[in-house]
């Protein structure tokens, strides 16, 4: 299968490189041309538009920031739809909402184009190492056809059901991720005031019942003051907004998620949205 990859950011660049290393013929596109340089050095074709990606691919993957970006890539001027043909498979690996996924699928189906929503979790580390968890919504037979591509990028691949269910699983994941980060930030904030040694706190949290990916991967960064993103704070804020929109439609109260979103709103208001999600500790530093 010829694979086209659109969006070579923190996650997308590593994911596309894993596909290349797995032996799939690849063509890539990114709005900022400098992000394509590592691929050009490997003689991987660089497209000038998403339209060109579609024309030269059997499967087109997009990994962009939000639903409006997916809209632009798929349906905008020189978008995928302009170069698409019947039988093309489009996979949106960005995070947005079940509602958007179903909308994209319906519109692409009019052109005979298959669609899967397949958001991921695992951060920049998982993208680099090919150990992402991938949640896929859409037709099972299409999922089976492209599963080898997913296996190049991820370790755990879950077919979640119909279109939109991949996004729903991702939003549920982000609910836990956000509240978990909140818990770690609160523990660190209290430990600082109480005079507790951070290394000892890390030992306890990372070996006992409180252990988690957030503790293992992000807490050491928080302790060192390294706030470079594995996943941007502004992106988690966006995801939590979608969680609450979905919960409101279903009349499900999520007070913990609502509080977490407000704290990320504060973080973004401080001008730190492009830093990592673990930069939440700075909000607690201010509050303390």
């Amino acid at each position: 299968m010829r694979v086209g990859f659109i969006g070579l950011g923190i996650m997308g660049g590593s994911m596309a490189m894993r596909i290349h290393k797995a032996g799939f013929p690849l063509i890539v596109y990114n709005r900022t041309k400098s992000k394509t340089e590592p691929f050009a050095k490997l003689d991987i074709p660089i497209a000038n538009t998403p339209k060109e990606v579609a024309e030269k691919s059997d499967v087109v993957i997009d990994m962009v920031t939000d639903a409006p970006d997916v809209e632009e890539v798929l349906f905008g001027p020189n978008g995928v739809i302009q170069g698409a043909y019947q039988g093309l498979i489009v996979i949106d690996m960005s995070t947005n909402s079940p509602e958007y996924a179903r909308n994209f699928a319906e519109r692409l189906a009019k052109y005979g184009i298959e669609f899967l929503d397949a958001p991921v979790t695992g951060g920049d580390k998982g993208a680099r190492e090919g150990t992402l968890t991938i949640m896929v919504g859409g037709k099972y037979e299409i999922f089976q056809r492209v599963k080898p591509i997913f296996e190049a990028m991820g370790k755990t691949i879950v077919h979640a059901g119909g279109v939109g269910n991949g996004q729903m699983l991702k939003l549920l994941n982000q609910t836990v991720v956000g509240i978990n980060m909140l818990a770690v930030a609160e523990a660190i904030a209290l430990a600082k005031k109480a005079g507790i040694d951070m290394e000892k706190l890390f030992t306890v949290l990372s070996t006992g019942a409180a252990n988690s990916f957030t503790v293992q991967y992000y807490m050491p960064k928080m302790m060192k003051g390294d706030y470079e993103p594995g996943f941007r704070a502004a992106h988690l804020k966006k995801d939590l907004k979608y969680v609450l929109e979905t919960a409101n439609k279903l009349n499900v109260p999520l007070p913990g998620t609502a509080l977490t979103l407000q704290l990320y709103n504060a973080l973004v208001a401080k001008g730190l949205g492009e830093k990592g999600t673990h930069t939440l500790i700075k909000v607690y530093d201010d509050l303390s």
Side-chain angles (χ1 to χ4, degrees):
M1 287 177 286
R2 299 172 302 159
V3 180
F5 205 104
I6 299 170
L8 304 173
I10 291 174
M11 301 283 287
S14 296
M15 291 161 66
M17 198 61 78
R18 298 292 309 187
I19 291 171
H20 165 69
K21 288 177 179 176
F24 292 96
L26 182 67
I27 183 170
V28 299
Y29 169 81
N30 196 73
R31 229 172 5 190
T32 306
K33 286 295 181 184
S34 60
K35 297 284 180 69
T36 65
E37 289 172 5
F39 295 88
K41 289 176 181 176
L42 296 171
D43 293 324
I44 295 168
I46 311 299
N48 292 311
T49 62
K51 174 187 175 184
E52 185 183 346
V53 174
E55 289 170 341
K56 297 177 179 179
S57 303
D58 301 307
V59 177
V60 174
I61 296 171
D62 73 82
M63 183 64 175
V64 292
T65 303
D66 199 355
D69 305 290
V70 180
E71 174 78 27
E72 179 69 18
V73 160
L74 295 184
F75 303 105
N78 286 314
V80 167
I81 199 73
Q82 306 300 325
Y85 53 89
Q86 191 163 349
L88 180 70
I89 299 171
V90 170
I91 306 173
D92 176 23
M93 300 192 78
S94 317
T95 300
N96 39 79
S97 74
E99 190 173 358
Y100 275 116
R102 288 189 282 268
N103 176 269
F104 296 144
E106 287 171 10
R107 291 159 67 189
L108 291 172
K110 293 175 183 176
Y111 298 88
I113 300 167
E114 301 289 351
F115 178 84
L116 299 174
D117 55 297
V120 305
T121 185
D124 59 328
K125 182 175 185 289
R128 288 193 306 272
E129 296 175 0
T131 57
L132 294 169
T133 294
I134 306 174
M135 300 144 273
V136 189
K139 294 177 185 173
Y140 186 72
E141 60 270 25
I142 302 301
F143 163 73
Q144 285 291 96
R145 197 184 307 172
V146 301
K147 192 175 180 183
I149 300 172
F150 290 138
E151 289 171 339
M153 298 179 282
K155 186 176 180 181
T156 303
I157 298 110
V158 178
H159 182 253
V163 168
N165 281 11
Q167 294 293 354
M168 191 66 242
L169 269 185
K170 177 62 185 287
L171 295 185
L172 296 170
N173 180 82
Q174 297 305 75
T175 300
V176 176
V177 165
I179 295 174
N180 201 1
M181 190 68 75
L182 175 73
V184 173
E186 291 200 351
I188 291 175
L190 180 56
K192 285 180 179 178
K193 287 288 184 176
I196 295 297
D197 181 274
M198 285 296 153
E199 291 293 343
K200 291 177 181 175
L201 176 63
F202 176 72
T203 298
V204 170
L205 296 185
S206 63
T207 57
N211 193 22
S212 67
F213 178 84
T214 300
V215 170
Q216 291 281 353
Y217 186 63
Y218 286 115
M219 188 174 171
K221 290 175 176 282
M222 296 160 92
M223 290 161 59
K224 289 188 294 185
D226 173 7
Y227 299 116
E228 290 309 300
F231 188 70
R232 289 190 172 92
H235 293 181
L236 182 57
K237 175 197 164 183
K238 175 261 298 181
D239 296 350
L240 295 177
K241 175 179 70 75
Y242 283 130
V243 171
L244 289 175
E245 287 176 358
T246 304
N248 285 339
K249 288 172 186 172
L250 298 173
N251 296 315
V252 178
L254 299 178
T257 305
L259 172 60
T260 306
L261 175 59
Q262 291 306 315
L263 290 168
Y264 275 100
N265 279 337
L267 185 62
V268 172
K270 283 170 63 67
L272 296 170
E274 293 304 299
K275 295 296 184 181
T277 52
H278 56 293
T279 313
L280 186 65
I281 188 62
K282 285 188 169 292
V283 175
Y284 278 90
D285 288 342
D286 289 351
L287 290 173
S288 299

